[in-house]
Structures are given as structure tokens and as C-alpha cells.
Amino acid sequence: MLARAIDAFLDHDANISFLADPKLKGSSSKGALRLKTMSVFSGGELLLNSIINVVMSGVTGNFKFTSDRNLVNPAFEIINVVGTGFKRTGYWSNYSGLSVSLPERLYERPANHSSFKQQLYPVVWPGETTKKPRGWVFPQNGRQLKIAVPSRVSFQDFVARVTGTDMFTGYCIDVFFAAVNLLPYAVPYQLIPYGDGRNNPSGTELEYDAAIGDIAITTNRTRMADFTQPYIESGLVVVAPIRKLSSSAWAFLRPFTREMWCLSGVFVLLGGAVVWILEHRINDDFRGPPSKQIISLTSRSIHAGERTIGALGRLMLPLWLFAVLVIKSSYTASLTSILTVQQLSSPVKGIQSLLKGDERIGYQQGSFARDYLVEQLGVQESRLVPLRLPEDYAKALNDGPRHGGVAAIVDERAYAELFLSTRCEFSIVGPEFTKNGWGFAFPKDSPLAIDMSTAILTLSENGDLQRIHDKWLLRSACSSQGAKLQVDRLPLTSFEGLFSLCGLACLVALLIYFTKMIYLFNQRYSEPESSGQSSRSRRLHMFLTFADEKEEATKARSISRETEWNSCTSMEQNASTFSSQRAS
Ligand code: SER
């Protein structure tokens, strides 16, 4: 371009003249500079104008300056140097961004601000490859990073050493491989097992360049090393034996606790009493003999709305009905779940109930859980039992604290879930009480920790982390049994108590009724029948007719009989009086 401008300038004025610079006149120099011979170029303005006036067609399109001396549509060609030659990879302009099309064409279209649309031809990298070289993170002089991996003896789905080799497999190892592959540079490394192979190793001395595996990120550990972002959540939980609550005859009492039942009873009686007080003087329904009123007190309380007529009674009504509605619906909801879903129960309810007792607690040997229980939760060391293998977990839980076992085990959720996937007689009880996760450890301020964190987040966002999880840790043995916990048909046992109560109530009511009836029957018919020629069957027939009759009819008949009887008696008396009078 400069050559083109100078050409234009020379075409314009072929004579170039240099003037002696007056500023340099007085200076003396013993060196090579011969300042007196130096002149000043006086055609700068002309040269500048020539440059500004250049109009030509370049590789990136038309080349021209605006009046304020800026390039019109500035653009650059991007080249890829390949060996001693080069190839065009694309163009860049502020307006169109990176592109493979000529910017002058793109200036006719809307501006391309989306980075997704920006593209170039593939770059050929040294080695004649189009695969992006990843470079080296540390100037290691070819030295491999020494990465420590625990030699686990239990829960080897997380980390397991391939016998006789220095190779490892497992969930944590797959996550590490996937994350390393996402780093924008190559990391040469060597996996070094640590631990004696008989016990799960505890802690990691960072004489290594990194440590990977099922390493929980804890406060103490972050003081010694930098951790990546967690790649799995794994807080501490309590695992305890559970038993299924068998369907009991008194299941209908379970929705409410004893206190709740008592309070509900008191509430119903009090409510009835209040309605009675408010309505007694103005409502005929609330009058009558005391025995009748006491019996109907509870039903009035529950059905308060049906017959209240007083202003106060009606004022109390909405609140009262709402309270009754809530209690009724809560009972219904709770009873539904009790009857239709198999209930599981455990004497241990969670970490709090475990801490209150003094029973032995199991923990995974080598885990940070032990220190946490002792230092943070103040559990006595004598209560803690180290357990190595899942089989030891099961045995200790089955034996129970009274027979040399443990009441519960405190371990990280990841291990607990793996353990429980094949053992449905135990369960996690209570909530997770710490929020831990596992990460990879690096020496303090290692840039690798940050890049690995980014890689782990990428794995999490693109779903690979979940896929690796499902590959190693997705078990469904107990969840399929869990599905069976849903009860399809309700067994008789759930209602035995209720039916027995109803039966008993019916029996008592009938007993009272018939006693009363027999008493009334005897009272009404004893005297006329006492004259006595009627057989037993006739008497039974009479009793049944008496029981079948409406009470008013019986009363009326008995009154008429009495009247008849009385009139007969009086007639007889009159007759006898009359005859005696006549006789006298
Ligand atoms: N995850 C446990 C811990 O980090 C055992 O390795 O201590």
C-alpha cells in the first residue's frame, strides 16, 4: 500500500528536495553522523494526501479512506502459515466478525454478532493435523504428574485397583479420565496407589502432585490442598435396620397420636357444650331431659351447623366447621397413607435420636466420619465401631447393639446408597446432616485444580457425569421392592378393630334395647296375661307384635287397654257394689 502511495506521490511531483535542518546546525558530532548533510523531507503533507487518496481493490475488498482518514469497511485476511507457505483461513472485520466470506459481501448483510455464526476454514497445525494441539500445563520437562489413588478394599465401585497392575477402575476414576480429556492441554500423569490394600486408606499426604478418588472435601483437608468442584454430593447419613409395620387391627387409631385423640375428644365435648350453652334457651332441639341432651352433646358439636338458630351460634359456626373439616381431612389423608402404603419404622429416627442414646455407632474405617462424630458432634470414642466391608455393616446392624453390633451406621450417602441397593432390610433414617461432596485434590494454588473444576462442571452440564454415575452406581434391587410396598387391596386385619368396636356397640345397644323392651312388655302385659291361659308361643307372638309396633301406637293401645281394664274393673266393682246393695 505504501509503495502504491509513493508511486502516486512521485507521479505527482518527481522532484524530491531535502532541506538542511536548522535545529541540527549547532550540534557537534565526532561520530559517524554527518548532521550537516542531513536534510528535512518537506513533502510529507503531499505524501499523506497521496496515501489518503489511494483507492484500490485489496484481498479483503475495496481499500479506501474516509474523509476523517479512517479505512472504509476495515477488514483483515486471516492466514494459516503451513510450512513455508500459507493458506487463507478466513476474514475478520469489526462488522462481520470471523467469516469465510469476503467482508465486502457481509457488509451488505446485517451485522454478525453471534459468536456461534462465526467460523473459519480448518486450521492446519504443525504435524499436518487439524486436531487442536493441547500444549502442556506445566514445564515438567516431560515428567509425569504423580497422582495418588486410594487402594480401597470396600465399595470398589468407586475406586478399585486392577489386581497386579497400577491401573484403576471405578466411578471416580472414570470421572477423572473424562475431566482430564476435557482439559485444553495434555497432562501426562501416573497413577500411584496408596494404602496397604488391607484397610481403606485414610487421609492423603500431599507428597504427590494430586490425589484422586472418593475423597470428601472437608475443612481440614482444604487447609492442606486445593480441591476441585465436587463431582458427587455425599453428605453423612444414618443407616439403621427397619421393619415393616404390619397392618394392625387398630390401624385406624394411628393417624393421630394419643395426645391428639385426647385433644380431639375434649375439643368435640367443649364445642358441644358451647353450642348447648348458646342455643339452650332459644332452640327447642337443645331442650329436653338431661340424659337426652348429654347423649346428643357430641353429635351437636360435630353437626353444629344443622340446627343453630342463635346469632352467637351462627357466628361461631364458620370457624368451628373449618376446624372440624381440617381435623376430618387430616385424619382421612393420614389413614389413607397408613392403609395403602406399607409403613416402615426404625427405633433410630436420625442423628439426633442416635446422639441422645448411648448405643454403639458404626462408621466406615478410614473415613473422615469418625473425626466428625468425635470432634463436631461430641460422640464418645468408645461408642464408635470401625467397619470395613459392606458385609461387616450388615452383620453389625443385624446383631444390634445388645449383641456386639451397632444401633446404626454413620457414613456418606454415596456408600450408604450402594450398600442399601442390595439390602432392603436397612434404610437411611432421618435427613442428611452434613453437606459434603467428593473432589480431586491438588497442591495449593495449582492451576490444574481450577481447570479440572471447569472440566467437572462441563461434565455435569453436558450430562456425562450422570451417565458415569448410572454406569457404576445405579442399582435397583430395593427400589423394585419399594414399588411393591404400595398396597393394592386392603386386608381385613386393617379393619378388625373397627369392626369389633362397631359389633360391640351394636351388641350393647341391642342388649339395652331388648332389656328395656322386655321390661316395658312385662309392665304392660303382665296383668292382663296374668289371668294366664296363653301359651309361650302366644306370648312370644305378642312380644314380637309389641316390638314391631310404633311406640305411639303401643302407648295408645296400652292406654286404651288400661282404660278398658279400668272401666272393666270399675264396672265389676260397680256390679259387685250393686249386687251387694241388692243383697243387703
Ligand atoms: N470418602 C471417605 C473420606 O473421604 C473415605 O475415603 O474420608
Side-chain angles (χ1 to χ4, degrees), residues 443-462:
K444 282 272 178 198
D445 300 324
S446 164
L448 204 49
I450 299 164
D451 291 346
M452 285 291 276
S453 287
T454 312
I456 286 170
L457 292 177
T458 311
L459 288 177
S460 164
E461 284 163 16
N462 68 16

Side-chain angles (χ1 to χ4, degrees), residues 81-129:
V81 178
V82 184
T84 51
F86 69 90
K87 85 179 195 46
R88 184 190 301 129
T89 320
Y91 302 96
W92 180 86
S93 79
N94 199 18
Y95 180 80
S96 59
L98 294 169
S99 70
V100 290
S101 305
L102 273 172
E104 63 180 340
R105 279 195 213 132
L106 296 176
Y107 271 107
E108 291 156 15
R109 298 189 206 155
N112 176 15
H113 294 301
S114 163
S115 59
F116 293 110
K117 289 185 194 161
Q118 304 199 347
Q119 53 172 318
L120 294 172
Y121 290 120
V123 175
V124 178
W125 300 95
E128 300 292 313
T129 173

Side-chain angles (χ1 to χ4, degrees), residues 152 201 203 214-217 221 364 366-369 412 415 438:
R152 286 200 63 89
D214 52 340
I215 306 167
I217 305 169
R221 290 174 184 173
Q364 187 187 146
S367 165
F368 78 97
E412 288 172 80
Y415 304 114
W438 294 350

Side-chain angles (χ1 to χ4, degrees), residues 34-313:
R34 297 169 66 192
L35 294 177
K36 281 185 182 169
T37 63
M38 290 185 75
S39 302
V40 174
F41 174 58
S42 59
E45 194 64 27
L46 199 57
L47 179 61
L48 181 62
N49 281 336
S50 300
I51 291 172
I52 286 169
N53 289 330
V54 168
V55 176
M56 63 176 192
S57 181
V59 282
T60 60
N62 289 333
F63 184 94
K64 194 180 164 191
F65 288 99
T66 58
S67 54
D68 53 356
R69 300 178 180 182
N70 285 320
L71 267 176
V72 172
N73 296 344
F76 296 89
E77 182 186 25
I78 301 169
I79 57 162
N80 174 199
V81 178
V82 184
T84 51
F86 69 90
K87 85 179 195 46
R88 184 190 301 129
T89 320
Y91 302 96
W92 180 86
S93 79
N94 199 18
Y95 180 80
S96 59
L98 294 169
S99 70
V100 290
S101 305
L102 273 172
E104 63 180 340
R105 279 195 213 132
L106 296 176
Y107 271 107
E108 291 156 15
R109 298 189 206 155
N112 176 15
H113 294 301
S114 163
S115 59
F116 293 110
K117 289 185 194 161
Q118 304 199 347
Q119 53 172 318
L120 294 172
Y121 290 120
V123 175
V124 178
W125 300 95
E128 300 292 313
T129 173
T130 50
K131 203 172 160 209
K132 211 157 116 187
R134 298 165 67 205
W136 299 83
V137 63
F138 303 124
Q140 295 272 358
N141 299 328
R143 187 176 80 79
Q144 292 182 320
L145 289 181
K146 284 186 181 168
I147 298 181
V149 190
S151 288
R152 286 200 63 89
V153 293
S154 62
F155 298 110
Q156 294 197 329
D157 295 81
F158 294 112
V159 183
R161 187 176 175 186
V162 180
T163 326
T165 68
D166 275 353
M167 289 197 297
F168 290 85
T169 57
Y171 167 73
C172 304
I173 303 298
D174 275 7
V175 173
F176 173 73
F177 289 158
V180 163
N181 281 338
L182 284 181
L183 292 178
Y185 41 76
V187 178
Y189 60 82
Q190 180 192 2
L191 300 182
I192 300 169
Y194 74 92
D196 58 14
R198 288 186 302 279
N199 295 304
N200 291 324
S202 61
T204 317
E205 306 78 35
L206 271 187
E207 60 207 35
Y208 301 100
D209 296 315
I212 63 166
D214 52 340
I215 306 167
I217 305 169
T218 62
T219 318
N220 280 343
R221 290 174 184 173
T222 50
R223 289 197 186 105
M224 298 184 296
D226 273 357
F227 279 85
T228 59
Q229 289 287 318
Y231 56 87
I232 186 171
E233 299 295 325
S234 190
L236 289 175
V237 291
V238 177
V239 177
I242 47 157
R243 66 188 165 83
K244 288 172 198 158
L245 282 184
S246 56
S247 189
S248 100
W250 305 103
F252 70 94
L253 289 176
R254 257 196 256 147
F256 291 162
T257 57
R258 193 172 302 156
E259 295 80 31
M260 184 59 193
W261 276 118
C262 294
L263 192 70
S264 302
V266 171
F267 175 76
V268 165
L269 286 177
L270 272 182
V274 170
V275 173
W276 184 85
I277 291 168
L278 296 179
E279 297 283 312
H280 178 64
R281 289 190 62 240
I282 49 172
N283 192 338
D284 285 342
D285 287 340
F286 292 82
R287 302 202 71 84
S291 58
K292 184 187 154 200
Q293 290 193 40
I294 288 170
I295 290 167
S296 64
L297 200 68
T298 54
S299 74
R300 291 282 155 79
S301 148
I302 293 168
H303 304 290
E306 286 175 8
R307 295 184 192 167
T308 42
I309 54 172
L312 280 174

Side-chain angles (χ1 to χ4, degrees), residues 357-396:
D358 56 358
E359 291 159 327
R360 286 153 43 104
I361 303 170
Y363 69 92
Q364 187 187 146
Q365 171 262 315
S367 165
F368 78 97
R370 182 186 187 284
D371 290 345
Y372 182 83
L373 287 170
V374 174
E375 289 165 17
Q376 305 293 325
L377 301 183
V379 178
Q380 287 170 355
E381 290 190 36
S382 56
R383 286 182 67 192
L384 297 177
V385 182
L387 301 167
R388 227 163 48 103
L389 304 170
E391 294 73 37
D392 301 339
Y393 281 35
K395 185 172 182 313

